Amino acid sequence: MDTKLWMSILLIFATALMLFISYLSYQKRHLPVARTVIFIMLAAAFYSLGYAIEILSVSLRGVKLALHIEYLGIPFVTVLWLVLVLQFTNIAAKYRRRLMLLLFAIPVATFFLHLTNDWHHFVYKEYVLNPDGVLPRYNTVKGFWYHVNGYYNYFVIAAGMVLFIPMYSRALPIVRKQILIIALGAVAPFAFNLIYQFARTSIDLTPFGFAVSGFACVWGILRINLLRLTPLALAKVFDTIRDGVVLLDYEDQIVSFNRAAEEVFPELAATKRYPAPGKRVLSNCPELLERIAAANGLDERFPFQRSGMNRHRHYICSLSFIYDIGMDPIGKIVMFNEITELMENEARLRENARQLSRLNAFKDKLFTVMAHDIRDPIALLVSLTELLGEEPSETDIEHAEVFQEIRRQVRNTYHLVDNLLDWYRSQNGKVAFRPLEWNLQQVVRQALSLAGARAGMKQILMTENIDDALTVSADKEMLDLILRNLLSNAIKFTGVGGRIEFGAVVEGDLVKVSVSDNGMGIDEETSELLRQEELFFKEPGSANERGEMRFGLLLTREFLRIHGGSLRFDSVPGEGTTFLFTLPGSANRGETAESYQTAVRKL
């Protein structure tokens, strides 16, 4: 086959390869690196296509046209490659635009000088016709600007290689492959160009070097995701990991580390050259080095501690092995997750729990003292005032009003303390909960009977309208306390000659019980306070009575919650109040229960 023909076919194939790489890069055009590769490959494609046309040309006009096509790529391809290197290494990011103008000054000048070469001959002085059968058809005598552009391209390639060296020394294996492919994209054409320049051959081999670079780029894009995650992106991910990361090779030499690792081991920053032996850099951590050296191909997690800056730091260390394509480990990655705050918070929580336990023990003792040393004397005072009230003397009759107030205050104080102790036992888990089935009508009548004396003193009419078939599932002691508190509040805030009424209806699996009175009602401010969950509040002018009512209702609400019920109230100031509570229950007429007619008591 004719030499011209096979060389042209090879160059056209190289052009197609460059265009194919441009297509692959266009699919990832959202990445700046991919966009740069597109321009590099297009420039190389113009170079290869133009040279193929030059080889096939038989006239000077055809050669000049081919050179014009070639110079769409010749001045720009190496500078675009340097731009790619700058993007990978992120050097001079702030001044990228100004640097671009400076870098492209000579290539742009070269392009226009060649375009107007016939006017000044700065690029090519003349074209010399070769004898028949010799390639190329015309030899060119180079002008001074041709040499300026050539030396500039050599300088650009050398600068890019220098920029890649430090990144390659600290890069991961997959990143090193990417760097080698990018470097090969410049080395292959550079080597072929040196042969053309110094071997005194008349055939320019540089476009064939781009074919070698093209094959390498295709392999890199398809096999190792060349354009998916650049070394710069990997380096940024590596540096922004919050945990400290140290990479070691198979000889336990430190290859790389991130910024967080420098906070764990400040000695890493003090070492200037890497790889460096781990035993020398981390000599202050012999236990860690022994643990790393003793690892036998298995990933591990273990605690690690360091002291410094007047603080003891705690870490969870994760040791993992790095494998190449085969199953042989090629390095280790050690990650340090700081848990100092977690450990300190845990220690504080332990101390707080210890102090809280002591306070709870003191509280238990305090309430025990209250139960024996306060409740019993008050109960004795209640009994004495009741006895004095049954056998009044002439002096007592004269001070009857004062005596009745004293007796009322002593009794109220006793009920408040009694409720307080009941509530404390319920909160402390000392109140036993033993729910049984109870006839609601009988339980309510028993409560009305016990409260009859107090209601009779104020001539209050107490009634109940409850079906004798209604049963509730409740703890008897808690149910008695609930009814006692609600009745006590109703009697206290109902005037002379008032009325209190009990009612009950079935709602599904619950029995709703109502306690209504026509007393003074509850004002809006007190209603808001009663709906709150706080234990205490102050009500000007009636602090003792409201405080007792508040505490009794709090206890009632807690006991109802234990049963799975609820408590609410409706009140109109001056007209009365209705308390509504629910308990698990049903209307069961199958069980025998003592029959009572609607009880109407007027005491």
Side-chain angles (χ1 to χ4, degrees):
M1 183 184 290
D2 187 9
T3 304
K4 291 183 180 180
L5 185 59
W6 70 259
M7 288 183 63
S8 300
I9 292 174
L10 185 59
L11 289 170
I12 291 173
F13 174 76
T15 302
L17 183 62
M18 306 301 174
L19 294 176
F20 177 65
I21 297 172
S22 298
Y23 169 73
L24 295 178
S25 302
Y26 181 78
Q27 292 179 328
K28 300 177 177 62
R29 59 189 179 278
H30 60 281
L31 299 173
V33 172
R35 293 196 293 269
T36 303
V37 172
I38 292 173
F39 289 117
I40 293 175
M41 293 298 106
L42 289 176
F46 281 121
Y47 194 176
S48 299
L49 179 63
Y51 196 55
I53 296 173
E54 181 183 351
I55 290 174
L56 296 174
S57 297
V58 294
S59 65
L60 180 60
R61 182 178 180 182
V63 169
K64 287 184 177 182
L65 176 63
L67 286 172
H68 284 312
I69 296 175
E70 291 177 46
Y71 269 81
L72 290 172
I74 288 176
F76 304 105
V77 65
T78 55
V79 178
L80 288 168
W81 178 83
L82 181 60
V83 171
L84 182 67
V85 174
L86 293 174
Q87 289 174 335
F88 266 66
T89 57
N90 200 36
I91 294 177
K94 295 182 179 180
Y95 309 101
R96 186 73 53 82
R97 292 185 178 180
R98 297 179 185 177
L99 187 59
M100 294 295 178
L101 294 175
L102 183 62
L103 288 175
F104 279 94
I106 291 180
V108 171
T110 301
F111 173 78
F112 283 106
L113 287 175
H114 179 268
L115 195 63
T116 59
N117 185 70
D118 289 342
W119 299 349
H120 46 69
H121 302 288
F122 287 165
V123 181
Y124 296 115
K125 292 181 180 179
E126 58 179 322
Y127 303 90
V128 180
L129 180 66
N130 280 324
D132 292 341
V134 179
L135 288 176
R137 182 66 174 169
Y138 286 87
N139 280 331
T140 55
V141 179
K142 278 70 176 178
F144 83 95
W145 193 261
Y146 178 91
H147 297 292
V148 170
N149 182 67
Y151 290 131
Y152 178 71
N153 287 333
Y154 296 150
F155 169 77
V156 167
I157 293 172
M161 294 299 178
V162 170
L163 294 177
F164 263 149
I165 290 173
M167 176 173 281
Y168 181 86
S169 64
R170 297 186 59 179
L172 296 170
I174 183 66
V175 178
R176 288 184 174 182
K177 292 179 182 179
Q178 293 184 352
I179 294 175
L180 288 176
I181 291 173
I182 299 300
L184 183 62
V187 170
F190 177 69
F192 279 83
N193 186 264
L194 287 178
I195 294 173
Y196 169 65
Q197 294 292 340
F198 297 102
R200 298 191 179 278
T201 177
S202 59
I203 299 177
D204 187 1
L205 301 177
T206 307
F208 299 97
F210 284 115
V212 176
S213 301
F215 280 112
C217 287
V218 170
W219 182 83
I221 293 173
L222 298 179
R223 293 297 302 274
I224 62 172
N225 297 320
L226 177 63
L227 300 179
R228 183 164 297 179
L229 191 61
T230 66
L232 172 61
L234 287 175
K236 283 188 174 181
V237 170
F238 187 60
D239 279 336
T240 54
I241 295 176
R242 293 184 178 181
D243 295 339
V245 181
V246 178
L247 297 179
L248 300 99
D249 61 14
Y250 61 93
E251 295 178 340
D252 287 340
Q253 292 192 99
I254 297 176
V255 178
S256 183
F257 54 88
N258 64 351
R259 295 176 184 174
E262 293 184 18
E263 298 180 4
V264 183
F265 304 101
E267 48 266 51
L268 291 173
T271 304
K272 301 301 181 183
R273 298 185 62 182
Y274 286 94
K279 291 183 178 179
R280 175 170 60 82
V281 178
L282 304 179
S283 58
N284 294 330
C285 306
E287 295 181 359
L288 176 64
L289 293 173
E290 290 176 6
R291 196 71 180 258
I292 293 174
N296 190 21
L298 299 175
D299 295 348
E300 293 186 48
R301 284 173 64 88
F302 52 88
F304 174 68
Q305 302 177 8
R306 288 216 76 182
S307 298
M309 301 294 291
N310 299 323
R311 191 180 185 188
H312 200 62
R313 295 186 176 272
H314 301 265
Y315 301 90
I316 291 294
C317 179
S318 301
L319 173 63
S320 303
F321 283 80
I322 303 173
Y323 296 90
D324 205 349
I325 298 176
M327 294 302 295
D328 296 327
I330 61 173
K332 302 170 185 175
I333 180 170
V334 188
M335 300 185 67
F336 299 88
N337 178 23
E338 186 171 359
I339 57 171
T340 305
E341 278 193 37
L342 182 63
M343 297 290 288
E344 291 176 349
N345 290 338
E346 186 177 348
R348 283 193 290 267
L349 285 174
R350 286 200 194 100
E351 178 61 22
N352 290 340
R354 187 181 63 83
Q355 293 180 1
L356 184 59
S357 178
R358 292 175 59 187
L359 289 173
N360 280 334
F362 173 76
K363 179 194 67 176
D364 293 341
K365 291 180 181 179
L366 180 63
F367 274 92
T368 301
V369 170
M370 179 181 291
H372 292 284
D373 297 349
I374 298 179
R375 185 180 188 180
D376 291 346
I378 294 178
L380 180 59
L381 285 175
V382 172
S383 300
L384 291 175
T385 54
E386 295 294 338
L387 289 174
L388 291 174
E390 293 176 0
E391 299 178 0
S393 63
E394 294 182 0
T395 306
D396 293 333
I397 294 174
E398 295 176 1
H399 300 87
E401 186 176 348
V402 175
F403 174 76
Q404 292 298 332
E405 179 63 24
I406 293 174
R407 186 169 65 174
R408 185 169 62 254
Q409 290 294 335
V410 170
R411 187 171 60 248
N412 289 344
T413 304
Y414 173 75
H415 289 317
L416 185 59
V417 172
D418 196 39
N419 281 333
L420 174 63
L421 293 174
D422 284 339
W423 172 83
Y424 167 70
R425 287 198 301 273
S426 71
Q427 296 296 311
N428 203 35
K430 293 183 180 180
V431 174
F433 178 60
R434 293 184 291 270
L436 297 172
E437 297 294 326
W438 300 96
N439 184 279
L440 181 60
Q441 186 188 68
Q442 295 181 24
V443 175
V444 169
R445 287 181 176 179
Q446 182 182 9
L448 291 173
S449 176
L450 294 175
R454 291 186 59 195
M457 295 175 63
K458 299 176 70 173
Q459 298 181 349
I460 295 175
L461 177 68
M462 295 193 301
T463 63
E464 58 86 8
N465 187 18
I466 299 176
D467 193 328
D468 62 357
L470 289 182
T471 60
V472 293
S473 177
D475 181 278
K476 186 60 167 60
E477 292 185 2
M478 291 187 184
L479 183 56
D480 288 343
L481 187 141
I482 292 169
L483 296 174
R484 185 171 71 242
N485 275 322
L486 293 177
L487 267 175
S488 177
N489 284 332
I491 293 171
K492 183 181 299 183
F493 297 104
T494 300
V496 176
R499 177 172 48 83
I500 299 174
E501 181 178 357
F502 271 83
V505 294
V506 178
E507 292 186 351
D509 295 333
L510 297 175
V511 173
K512 181 190 287 186
V513 184
S514 62
V515 184
S516 303
D517 65 67
N518 62 347
M520 59 186 296
I522 305 174
D523 59 74
E524 191 65 31
E525 184 178 358
T526 306
S527 296
E528 284 297 321
L529 293 172
L530 288 174
R531 290 188 176 95
Q532 296 174 7
E533 296 291 331
E534 286 78 8
L535 297 182
F536 307 102
F537 69 91
K538 292 183 179 180
E539 177 68 14
S542 57
N544 290 337
E545 292 183 350
R546 294 300 184 191
E548 182 184 344
M549 178 178 67
R550 171 64 166 165
F551 216 75
L553 290 178
L554 172 67
L555 189 61
T556 300
R557 181 186 297 142
E558 290 298 321
F559 283 166
L560 286 171
R561 286 177 179 174
I562 292 174
H563 284 82
S566 62
L567 174 70
R568 66 183 182 87
F569 67 90
D570 295 316
S571 182
V572 178
E575 295 184 11
T577 303
T578 299
F579 280 91
L580 301 166
F581 68 89
T582 57
L583 286 171
S586 62
N588 191 349
R589 296 186 180 276
E591 291 191 9
T592 60
E594 186 178 354
S595 300
Y596 290 91
Q597 297 298 324
T598 301
V600 179
R601 298 173 182 265
K602 182 174 182 181
L603 301 174

